[in-house]
Amino acid sequence: MENLIALLVAAPLLGAAVLLCGGRRLDAVGHWIGTALAALSFVFGVILFADMLGKDPEHRTLMQHLFSWIPVEGFQADVAFQLDQLSMTFVLLITGVGSLIHVYSIGYMEHDERRRRFFGYLNLFLAAMLLLVLADNYLLLYVGWEGVGLASYLLIGFWQHKPSAATAAKKAFLVNRVGDMGLSIAIMLMFTTFGTFAFGPVLEATGDTSEGKLTAIGLMLLLAACGKSAQVPLQSWLGDAMEGPTPVSALIHAATMVTAGVYLIVRSADIFNAAPDAQLVVTVVGAVTLLFGAIVGCAKDDIKKALAGSTMSQIGYMVLAAGLGPIGYAFAIMHLVTHGFFKAGLFLGAGSVMHGMNDEVDMRKYGGLRKYMPVTFVTFGLGYLAIIGFPGLSGFFSKDKIIEAAFAKGGTEGWILGGCALLGAAITAFYMTRVMLMTFFGEKRWQPDEHGHEPHPHESPKVMTIPMIVLAFGSVFAGAFFGIGERFVKWLEPVTGFEHGHPPISALTVTLSTVAVMVLGVGLAYVQYGRRPVPVVAPRGSLLTRAARRDLLQDDFNHVVLVRGGEHLTRSLVYVDHTLVDGVVNGTAATMGGLSGRLRRLQNGFARSYAVSMFGGAAVLIAATLLMRAV
């Protein structure tokens, strides 16, 4: 079975190579090749999963060593894979949801001239993401980490003829480079501290390492996670990334790549367990981001950007849970999986709406679409109920456990984190109800465009609606399947460990409070958007609303502090270079040049000048001799 692990990565990697190098002769069948190889990787994953279930929990880890990558004295880097319960969870999510999105893309990208290349990029992303979660060491993980960054850049800017898409791709690439520096520094610190970067030796040695070193490594790993998972302060790229095709938003920026940071933290659990200060920073970042993203989502009229703010917020819940240690690791991954179902479904539903509305993304120009797109309405609605935590659906089980674990942190910290999580649940219910009401309810608000063409909303073809239906089933049933009997917790416990928390309030109280704030958020949104007509042009709004429309001024902050700060720093360095460095160099050259010019006058070629010099020198010597004798 170990030999199948490499095939998980090899199948989509082969698809990427064939589609990107095969040329136009594959244009007619490229989408089928890409989809088939993604599905083949999923089949391999299911086979390995079935084999893993047949073993005792303590003996489920599989290792496969392919070859020595960099074998030199004192530095050993291998291309080797590790498949355990944690990585298997990601394998099934990546290949399962990824295959569904490949199928959806067949219809969504049907009329795109570069569809073959698009599927090649999708396959490249799957291969890189699988490499990331299957690597048995941090250096190989880094290769996959950079691979998904490259694929994200290529897919965000896929419609490069649009300046906004090209700019968004560059922005995502640059912001992620900041986080990637954190991962590279962490790997270097690991090697200097432990002499290796393999998971096993590094994590086993944390008990004998100083807390200061582990804190530094943990903070650098968190910086990497913030970049890839769009967490504060490196969250500014995610909203702009919605310029890519909608299947990209569903696969990369909702279900898989943006959760890589959560995987990195949970995989490095022993480091964070031994570095409580770094662990505390993780919880703070998660709590701040879940509120930040939720507030931004409340003010967006672009349906995809509203869902992007939601993604940022929901990953904040996962990061918060991961920062809680053994009481939260399993719940972070559980919410990651359920979120993969309902958020991918929501994005595909948004793409279906855009498909029927001539690519219009402004929800103020929708209204009443449930009559025209019944399948999209139902599947999107089930995803909506799941994300707001409606009792019985998947989000209810996973998010409720995170809120409970936050309160279980204990003390003032537990009350603050739990309160933030509850407030985030209320805001989530508000902005997602806003999206539902503005899109599917009320009177139609679309108008003819500048050419007089009026949208004719219609249901998407089956190749698009079938993946949406499958994801809707996951949105409904996944949480109960994982949560009842702590099935998912027991599955991950051998890898992540688990501790039962002891919140200051009962689990029933937490559940009732979560449901209450959810109902409150839904009610406020209904009063605001269900009982009043939605204006086609957004009103000016309050100061907070205007700030939220501008992503709470995150780009303005970055521009003032980083861009302008960088410009001033560059100008200062140029000034110092011109005045001090060049001044010293040029001044020395001028001094030596002037001195040389004066000395050169002594060598003029006239015999009389040399005779005078000789006479003068002799006179000086005689005078000096006489003076010495007189003394």
Side-chain angles (χ1 to χ4, degrees), residues 67-143:
F67 57 88
S68 294
W69 178 16
I70 311 176
V72 297
E73 184 177 357
F75 187 94
Q76 179 70 30
D78 296 327
V79 174
F81 298 136
Q82 172 180 310
L83 183 66
D84 56 19
Q85 291 92 322
L86 178 60
S87 50
M88 175 56 76
T89 302
F90 276 84
V91 164
L92 294 177
L93 176 67
I94 295 164
T95 58
V97 175
S99 297
L100 290 173
I101 292 174
H102 273 71
V103 173
Y104 178 93
S105 300
I106 293 173
Y108 191 87
M109 303 295 290
E110 181 180 4
H111 302 294
D112 197 291
E113 295 179 353
R114 301 167 66 234
R115 180 166 63 167
R116 169 186 53 83
R117 184 176 294 272
F118 178 79
F119 277 83
Y121 291 159
L122 283 184
N123 273 198
L124 177 64
F125 169 78
L126 286 188
M129 191 69 196
L130 288 168
L131 179 64
L132 190 159
V133 300
L134 288 171
D136 86 327
N137 62 82
Y138 285 96
L139 191 61
L140 188 59
L141 179 150
Y142 186 77
V143 176

Side-chain angles (χ1 to χ4, degrees), residues 219-486:
L219 291 176
M220 290 299 100
L221 292 174
L222 175 60
L223 179 62
C226 287
K228 201 65 75 185
S229 295
Q231 300 292 284
V232 171
L234 300 179
Q235 79 286 5
S236 63
W237 64 272
L238 186 59
D240 296 85
M242 298 302 106
E243 289 292 336
T246 301
V248 175
S249 304
L251 177 62
I252 295 182
H253 307 125
T256 53
M257 188 194 84
V258 289
T259 61
V262 182
Y263 170 80
L264 181 65
I265 295 173
V266 175
R267 175 60 75 187
S268 309
D270 290 337
I271 294 175
F272 287 96
N273 291 340
D277 291 339
Q279 203 171 51
L280 175 62
V281 178
V282 173
T283 60
V284 171
V285 167
V288 170
T289 308
L290 75 87
L291 293 176
F292 187 103
I295 293 171
V296 168
C298 290
K300 293 295 184 181
D301 294 328
D302 183 319
I303 187 170
K304 288 177 65 179
K305 290 191 176 184
L307 294 178
S310 170
T311 299
M312 193 188 306
S313 177
Q314 296 304 307
I315 297 174
Y317 273 103
M318 303 171 205
V319 172
L320 169 61
L324 297 174
I327 64 175
Y329 290 135
F331 299 137
I333 303 301
M334 180 178 171
H335 192 54
L336 185 152
V337 175
T338 60
H339 176 265
F341 283 113
F342 57 69
K343 184 54 64 65
L346 288 168
F347 266 111
L348 295 189
S352 179
V353 170
M354 293 167 57
H355 181 269
M357 291 292 292
N358 296 342
D359 290 328
E360 178 62 65
V361 296
D362 190 347
M363 293 185 293
R364 293 185 180 275
K365 297 178 182 179
Y366 291 165
L369 292 181
R370 71 185 189 280
K371 305 172 186 176
Y372 305 92
M373 312 178 72
V375 176
T376 300
F377 167 64
V378 172
T379 55
F380 192 98
L382 291 173
Y384 151 73
L385 293 175
I387 195 174
I388 69 172
F390 190 85
L393 275 70
S394 60
F396 169 79
F397 290 95
S398 57
K399 190 159 62 177
D400 183 81
K401 286 296 184 182
I402 292 177
I403 297 173
E404 185 179 333
F407 280 110
K409 185 68 175 177
T412 303
E413 182 182 342
W415 283 104
I416 293 174
L417 295 176
C420 289
L422 272 179
L423 178 59
I427 303 175
T428 300
F430 176 85
Y431 70 73
M432 285 305 305
T433 303
R434 173 179 181 267
V435 170
M436 279 295 296
L437 293 174
M438 291 179 69
T439 302
F440 295 103
F441 292 88
E443 300 298 325
K444 73 170 190 174
R445 296 184 297 276
W446 57 85
Q447 302 291 333
D449 59 20
E450 62 272 14
H451 304 293
H453 300 148
E454 183 174 324
H456 296 286
H458 56 277
E459 189 58 85
S460 299
K462 289 184 178 181
V463 73
M464 294 173 63
T465 56
I466 289 175
M468 293 159 55
I469 292 170
V470 174
L471 290 170
F473 271 97
S475 301
V476 174
F477 299 111
F481 179 78
F482 294 149
I484 294 176
E486 295 187 336

Side-chain angles (χ1 to χ4, degrees), residues 548-630:
R549 287 176 186 151
R550 296 172 60 89
D551 299 328
L552 292 181
L553 308 180
Q554 55 183 322
D555 284 331
D556 302 83
F557 176 83
N558 291 341
H559 185 76
V560 171
V561 175
L562 300 178
V563 177
R564 289 188 179 177
E567 290 174 351
H568 290 309
L569 177 61
T570 302
R571 289 170 184 164
S572 300
L573 292 175
V574 170
Y575 177 78
V576 170
D577 180 61
H578 286 172
T579 57
L580 181 60
V581 179
D582 288 353
V584 171
V585 173
N586 295 336
T588 302
T591 301
M592 296 305 295
L595 182 60
S596 299
R598 287 168 175 79
L599 289 174
R600 188 169 61 247
R601 295 175 184 174
L602 300 177
Q603 299 290 330
N604 54 20
F606 295 111
R608 61 180 178 272
S609 297
Y610 300 153
V612 171
S613 298
M614 294 170 64
F615 178 78
V620 171
L621 289 173
I622 294 171
T625 302
L626 293 175
L627 180 62
M628 291 178 65
R629 287 182 177 180

Side-chain angles (χ1 to χ4, degrees), residues 19 30 43 53 57 76 104 109 139 145 260 501 512 540:
L19 294 176
V43 171
L53 288 177
Q76 179 70 30
Y104 178 93
M109 303 295 290
L139 191 61
W145 192 271
L512 293 176
R540 178 176 173 81

Side-chain angles (χ1 to χ4, degrees), residues 459-546:
E459 189 58 85
S460 299
K462 289 184 178 181
V463 73
M464 294 173 63
T465 56
I466 289 175
M468 293 159 55
I469 292 170
V470 174
L471 290 170
F473 271 97
S475 301
V476 174
F477 299 111
F481 179 78
F482 294 149
I484 294 176
E486 295 187 336
R487 185 181 285 112
F488 194 79
V489 170
K490 293 175 181 176
W491 163 257
L492 285 181
E493 187 173 3
V495 180
T496 63
F498 180 68
E499 294 179 4
H500 283 282
H502 302 287
I505 53 179
S506 67
L508 178 61
T509 302
V510 172
T511 299
L512 293 176
S513 300
T514 305
V515 173
V517 298
M518 180 267 292
V519 172
L520 176 63
V522 171
L524 290 175
Y526 177 73
V527 170
Q528 181 71 25
Y529 298 97
R531 299 182 61 182
R532 305 174 185 174
V534 177
V536 176
V537 178
R540 178 176 173 81
S542 65
L543 180 62
L544 178 60
T545 300
R546 297 198 300 274

Side-chain angles (χ1 to χ4, degrees), residues 1 44-55 88 92 491:
M1 282 296 172
F44 289 146
V46 171
I47 294 172
L48 287 165
F49 177 62
D51 177 71
M52 187 176 286
L53 288 177
K55 299 178 180 179
M88 175 56 76
L92 294 177
W491 163 257

